[in-house]
Amino acid sequence: PSALREVLVQIPDIKWDDVGGLEDVKQELKEAVEWPLKHPETFQRLGIRPPKGTLLYGIPGTGKTLLAKAVASESEANFISVKGPELLSKWVGESEKGVREVFRKAKQASPTVIFFDEIDAIASARSGNDTDSGVTKRVVNQLLTEMDGLEELEDVAIIAATNRPDILDTGLMRPGRFDRHIEVGEPDEEARKSIFKVHTKNMPLADDVDLKKLAKNTEGYVGADIEAVCREAAMLALRDDLEASEIPYKYFKDAIDKVKPGNTQLKDEQL
Ligand code: ATP
């Protein structure tokens, strides 16, 4: 298949309000990505260089992908998402070409946000075996070349995400590359309440459902877990009554017992 067709340009429809909590992270992304994409002339006028690359790091399921989509959408930019492992598997023997293609497509479709998810898969400093590190080294070099070659006014912002910032190639972190590092942390109680609010927005909640209480009872749960709890609560309600038209608190309680924190991904894979 043509390489061009392999790179998919999306237009996500995710708003800042769809991301619960993480107010500081949203603000940083607005400044680092949204402002430069929407008002490049302002940066030029003030003689400052917008950051080229932003690294989002933190444990799985905390909303890194969601944030990247939201900032693209709110910046009225196109979105190209590339998973690190995919870059190696989908483009076997031509991973560098894949990287070139991503940037070519991004410039063509600009303004664009390029999102490299699981960047550690291609850009980890120490790699398991030699053949592997040969490929990944070439891919990283290609990525650096593309980033260095990006002109300021080309309207392309780059975001990468990882759960393992500690193993990333240091070359990637130099100034002019991924020089903004933003931690996307585990949500506190207030943030969990906001995330519950996002995911129950379209659910017919019974009067006894108290989001504050849900937040209190879900210590250790990340956004992905909370989404799973809400889905599970609705499914449990349906299981009891296919005609159910509202969801009482007890189903949320059962759902919390069922969905253990941090296991969402595992559960999804098992389905
Ligand atoms: P991974 O490291 O596994 O890629 P991630 O940090 O990129 O995880 P997402 O893929 O963004 O996490 O989150 C998975 C899903 O969990 C989202 O699609 C969303 O439904 C929900 N979610 C996660 N965090 C939040 C949040 N802060 N607000 C609302 N929903 C969230």
Side-chain angles (χ1 to χ4, degrees), residues 122-144:
I122 53 166
S124 76
R126 33 199 164 91
S127 206
N129 61 64
D130 288 337
T131 37
D132 201 48
S133 65
V135 181
T136 52
K137 196 165 274 161
R138 292 203 309 273
V139 173
V140 171
N141 284 336
Q142 188 62 44
L143 181 59
L144 296 178

Side-chain angles (χ1 to χ4, degrees), residues 72-83:
S73 167
E74 294 275 4
S75 310
E76 290 159 52
N78 286 304
F79 185 71
I80 294 178
S81 172
V82 190
K83 283 195 160 68

Side-chain angles (χ1 to χ4, degrees), residues 18-20 22 59-66 117 163 195 198-199 223-224 227 265:
D18 296 321
V19 184
L22 300 170
I59 56 173
T62 44
K64 296 181 288 298
T65 305
L66 196 64
D117 200 3
N163 308 319
I195 299 171
V198 168
H199 288 287
E227 184 193 15
Q265 277 174 326

